[in-house]
Amino acid sequence: MTTAARTERTGPNSFEVRIAPDSYDEESREFELVMSTGARVRRHSWLRGAYDEVLSLDPAHIRLDRINSGRAPFAEEHRAHQIDKIVGSVVEGSVQVRDGQLVGRVRMHETERAREIEARMANGELCNVSLGYATHEQEVVESEEGPDTRTAVDWEPYEVSLVPMGADDGAHTRSAALETECVVRSTTETPMKTKQTPKSSDAPEPTDQRAGAPEQPAEGNRAPAAPPASPPTDLAAERMAAAAAERERAAEIRKLARKAKLEDEVADDLIERGVELDEARSAIIDSWAKREDGGEISNRVSVELEEGVKHADAITRAFMDRFDRRKYGMKDDDDARGLRGESILELGMRHLRALGVPVDGFTSKNARAKQILQTRGHTTTDFPAILANIAGRILSDGFESAPRDFEPLVRERSAPDFKEIRTVKLGAASQLERVLEGGEYEHGTIGEGAEAYRVLKYGRILQITREAIINDDLDTFTRLPQKLGQQAALIENLIFWALLGENPLLADGLPLFHASRGNIVTSPLGQAGLTEARTAMRLQTDLDGRTRINVIPRFIAVPAELEMEARRLLVLNTVPNETSQANPFTGTLAPIGSPFLSDYSDREWYMLASPSEVDTLEMAYLQGERAPYLETQDGFETDGVKLKLRHQFGMKPIDHRGLVKSTGQG
């Protein structure tokens, strides 16, 4: 047995547990967590291969200062670096080793999102949380017969995060900034040699050493020999058949437990107790139902889940690097760099092997592609789900990177459903009135606006086919989703600019821009035209037609043909020869050029107020789906997986007073 010490750079890791709904304290808004029991967990590294990790629960081996500081975050999906994702914090001094377990409490914050999550956690709807930690020293026992065992004897928890049910790529942090220097002390464990049977010449004479055994009768007193027995049965064959049946029973129980996302201990217990397959199936269903009801706290990640997440994460990074190395390229020390040259089919087969799926019998590309698509556990670690996740990420990036210049011009809101959205207006009757000493406050009125609109659905269906995997068709999973993300941004642009260019009718029966509204002028773009439009907007009145509402213009929207002229007027800062030649509009208005306005006119332009200061145009997304969303469905009519892109939003002008149009006719 040999021992060696070295230093490695190790990334942060996570340990998934479940929160107990019945630990909720409504007054303090706190939940208790069992963060770790030190159970052995199978992990994987592309460099080191599979290994078993154990967290030492000796208090001397855990650095608790950081997690107990009162500043350790409770976040969504290990995104503690995003302020809006932090929904709570670990209670100061609450994390400790108690009864052989690492326990602690989290307290929710006073935000709307935190309140929403708190209610779902209290109801048992959200139970999975994950402890993020870093290791500083490990003791490794290297085995020649199985996976190495790595015991963390100096480790530091630093955050707790809520994670979805099942595997999730974001549930395992990979930020290089959180990497730590870890001292690794290795011991090589040599398997013991099988004890050899002594030679026949050295063997002692057989004796009967049983206590109280009767003495053997003398030769002359022995009973007559028994008649010859019938030919003996084939005991070896029977033993082989029994062993095969036992292996089949054990394999089926483990398979059922994996499908139910249960821990290995459940299957091990059923196998060791010799429970028949039908009875084991019922027990697994009962355990699954109990877990889904939130009545059971899981203190470790299942091997399949943890391994699936690790492989899915590495494959995703390799795939994204292959698609666009400048944007998604892996770092030099990324342990998945060796995968980026592999084809889609090769990555899929590698992933199945890592999950323990037998694939050696599939030799043709067609058979391999079929196996990749048909091996489904309905989790995010399925290979088709990995491809769908990659497509969804690229689609979202394509949407976010596409130009949507109208965003500063529209007020954004969230809609809970597809019901009609009605706006609310404050009329002149709601102006503040002086209250005399001892006098009463007058009642104002809040009127429901006449403008109404709905969130509408837009979408398209894609498909991950067997042919695309065989042909290593990268564009199916990358370029096409990227283009569809851009198309989602395009439909928003088309609908928004049509609200200005088509001059739609409002609820009172008049167009958005009309002479009777005092929001239409005729001057071309220039200082004189800007002065005329600004004056028209500044003179707008409230619903009573008398009270000035002090609207201040902030933006100019022009077609592509007038974009450079607008920038010259509003951005270019030149020093005039005389004061009278100075441009009073320089730096006061933000120019926005749009080619979509060119479809309606190359001379018309618009002045707009900020939607945060006065009602102008409004846009609503369906709650929780601001960006395009992908859903997956197994294909039946064709070999593949269908991806349904859905984008849901609505737009409407809600008031004319913050908008002025110029026909540009002079």
Side-chain angles (χ1 to χ4, degrees), residues 320-330 340:
M320 301 295 284
D321 179 277
R322 181 183 168 196
F323 165 54
D324 189 340
R325 189 164 298 176
R326 287 182 298 178
K327 184 174 183 180
Y328 304 107
M330 291 184 285
R340 66 185 181 188

Side-chain angles (χ1 to χ4, degrees), residues 312-383:
D313 182 51
I315 288 173
T316 298
R317 299 198 305 276
F319 209 113
M320 301 295 284
D321 179 277
R322 181 183 168 196
F323 165 54
D324 189 340
R325 189 164 298 176
R326 287 182 298 178
K327 184 174 183 180
Y328 304 107
M330 291 184 285
K331 297 179 181 178
D332 292 340
D333 57 352
D334 195 315
D335 59 3
R337 284 176 63 87
L339 304 179
R340 66 185 181 188
E342 296 190 359
S343 68
I344 301 170
L345 191 60
E346 290 169 338
L347 288 174
M349 297 303 287
R350 179 189 286 272
H351 188 60
L352 293 185
R353 291 190 190 95
L355 296 180
V357 178
V359 296
D360 293 338
F362 301 96
T363 56
S364 70
K365 288 186 176 182
N366 184 58
R368 291 183 177 185
K370 182 177 180 180
Q371 183 69 8
I372 288 171
L373 290 171
Q374 290 183 347
T375 303
R376 306 298 304 274
H378 300 287
T379 73
T380 53
T381 58
D382 298 329
F383 194 73

Side-chain angles (χ1 to χ4, degrees), residues 353-570:
R353 291 190 190 95
L355 296 180
V357 178
V359 296
D360 293 338
F362 301 96
T363 56
S364 70
K365 288 186 176 182
N366 184 58
R368 291 183 177 185
K370 182 177 180 180
Q371 183 69 8
I372 288 171
L373 290 171
Q374 290 183 347
T375 303
R376 306 298 304 274
H378 300 287
T379 73
T380 53
T381 58
D382 298 329
F383 194 73
I386 295 173
L387 295 178
N389 178 67
I390 292 170
R393 178 176 171 184
I394 293 175
L395 180 144
S396 180
D397 287 352
F399 172 75
E400 294 296 340
S401 62
R404 294 152 74 231
D405 295 331
F406 65 85
E407 286 187 297
L409 310 178
V410 66
R411 183 174 68 189
E412 186 178 313
R413 66 181 293 179
S414 177
D417 49 42
F418 294 96
K419 295 178 181 178
E420 189 174 71
I421 302 171
R422 300 195 68 85
T423 59
V424 175
K425 293 182 180 179
L426 282 173
S430 295
Q431 292 180 33
L432 300 183
E433 300 286 352
R434 180 185 176 189
V435 180
L436 299 176
E437 184 177 354
E440 295 183 354
Y441 289 85
E442 296 292 333
H443 288 276
T445 59
I446 299 179
E448 187 179 65
E451 305 306 326
Y453 66 106
R454 299 174 185 271
V455 169
L456 304 176
K457 287 193 291 187
Y458 306 85
R460 177 75 66 179
I461 291 180
L462 306 176
Q463 189 165 353
I464 297 176
T465 64
R466 190 193 310 181
E467 291 79 5
I469 293 176
I470 293 174
N471 297 334
D472 197 31
D473 186 359
L474 189 67
D475 285 352
T476 299
F477 317 105
T478 54
R479 291 290 295 164
L480 186 55
Q482 183 184 55
K483 291 296 184 183
L484 285 175
Q486 294 169 354
Q487 285 292 315
L490 175 63
I491 193 67
E492 289 187 2
N493 274 302
L494 290 171
I495 293 175
F496 175 84
W497 294 110
L499 297 179
L500 298 181
E502 294 182 359
N503 197 15
L505 297 178
L506 297 188
D508 59 6
L510 292 176
L512 173 62
F513 302 103
H514 193 266
S516 65
R517 300 190 190 279
N519 69 343
I520 190 166
V521 297
T522 60
S523 299
L525 185 63
Q527 288 193 34
L530 292 174
T531 300
E532 183 183 11
R534 179 183 176 87
T535 301
M537 184 176 291
R538 296 288 286 160
L539 293 178
Q540 287 290 335
T541 60
D542 206 341
L543 298 177
D544 62 359
R546 300 186 305 273
T547 307
R548 303 294 180 194
I549 56 176
N550 196 26
V551 184
I552 300 175
R554 301 293 186 186
F555 304 96
I556 293 293
V558 300
E561 292 83 354
L562 298 178
E563 189 170 357
M564 289 300 101
E565 177 65 15
R567 293 183 63 82
R568 186 186 66 79
L569 278 169
L570 303 173

